[in-house]
């Protein structure tokens, strides 16, 4: 029996600051940024009523090489961004000799979330050479479904 190890993260949120591209001493591109991601939770009041609230989590993310260059080129503070990657922890000693810890997401992929025509997105600044996907469709393009009369036709 083999053990299953899985470390996969998918986050969609907004950048809290402009990403700043840096280079390591060996010339590898790296960018670090914080992604604000909404989290929903239920809260109850004194009278027993339930409501859904939102709270933001601020997630530290680092990207390397082409992913870092892509993020620094097309995204700015407030831009919506979706990333996939993995969680990584690291330790180091600070100048006072104290052991420090960091947990961050290492982004493998980054994707646009805002559409080209959305005024709040960076993509709207790049003219026709940038083709961000649009997630809305015209009402006439809606798929037509056939209603089944009974469940007897289902294969399961």
């Amino acid at each position: 029996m083999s053990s299953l190890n899985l470390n996969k993260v998918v986050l969609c949120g907004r950048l809290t600051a402009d990403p700043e591209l840096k280079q390591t001493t060996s010339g590898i591109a790296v960018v670090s940024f914080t992604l604000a991601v909404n989290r929903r939770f239920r809260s109850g009041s004194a009278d027993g009523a339930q409501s859904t609230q939102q709270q933001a989590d601020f997630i530290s993310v680092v990207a390397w090489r082409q992913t870092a260059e892509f993020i620094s080129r097309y995204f700015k503070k407030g831009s919506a961004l979706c990333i996939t990657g993995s969680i990584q922890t690291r330790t180091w000693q600070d100048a006072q000799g104290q052991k420090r810890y960091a947990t961050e997401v290492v982004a493998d992929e980054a994707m646009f979330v805002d559409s080209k025509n959305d005024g709040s997105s960076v993509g709207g600044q790049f003219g026709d050479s940038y083709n961000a996907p649009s997630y809305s469709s015209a009402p006439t393009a809606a798929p037509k479904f056939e209603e089944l009369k009974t469940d007897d036709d289902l294969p399961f």
Side-chain angles (χ1 to χ4, degrees), residues 11-142:
L11 295 171
C12 292
R14 295 200 177 268
L15 289 168
T16 61
D18 289 344
E20 184 181 335
L21 186 66
K22 296 182 180 178
Q23 302 280 327
T24 65
T25 54
S26 58
I28 298 172
V30 62
V31 67
S32 296
F33 56 93
T34 301
L35 201 59
V37 179
N38 286 337
R39 174 175 35 95
R40 285 187 262 173
F41 66 94
R42 290 189 175 261
S43 66
S45 63
D47 64 358
Q50 292 282 322
S51 66
T52 302
Q53 306 285 326
Q54 280 197 6
Q55 188 173 5
D57 290 312
F58 298 90
I59 312 294
S60 297
V61 181
V62 63
W64 296 89
R65 297 175 177 79
Q66 291 88 356
T67 305
E69 292 170 358
F70 173 75
I71 291 168
S72 67
R73 182 174 179 189
Y74 292 108
F75 297 91
K76 64 177 183 172
K77 179 180 179 178
S79 295
L81 170 65
C82 187
I83 58 115
T84 62
S86 58
I87 294 177
Q88 174 180 290
T89 58
R90 56 188 173 90
T91 61
W92 72 95
Q93 262 189 344
D94 66 13
Q96 292 76 33
Q98 298 291 317
K99 193 169 191 177
R100 298 291 181 177
Y101 301 89
T103 300
E104 58 199 358
V105 173
V106 178
D108 297 323
E109 298 176 283
M111 294 152 272
F112 291 101
V113 177
D114 291 331
S115 70
K116 176 181 174 182
N117 296 326
D118 183 354
S120 66
S121 84
V122 173
Q125 299 175 2
F126 294 102
D128 293 333
S129 64
Y130 165 70
N131 295 315
S134 175
Y135 296 103
S136 61
S137 59
T140 58

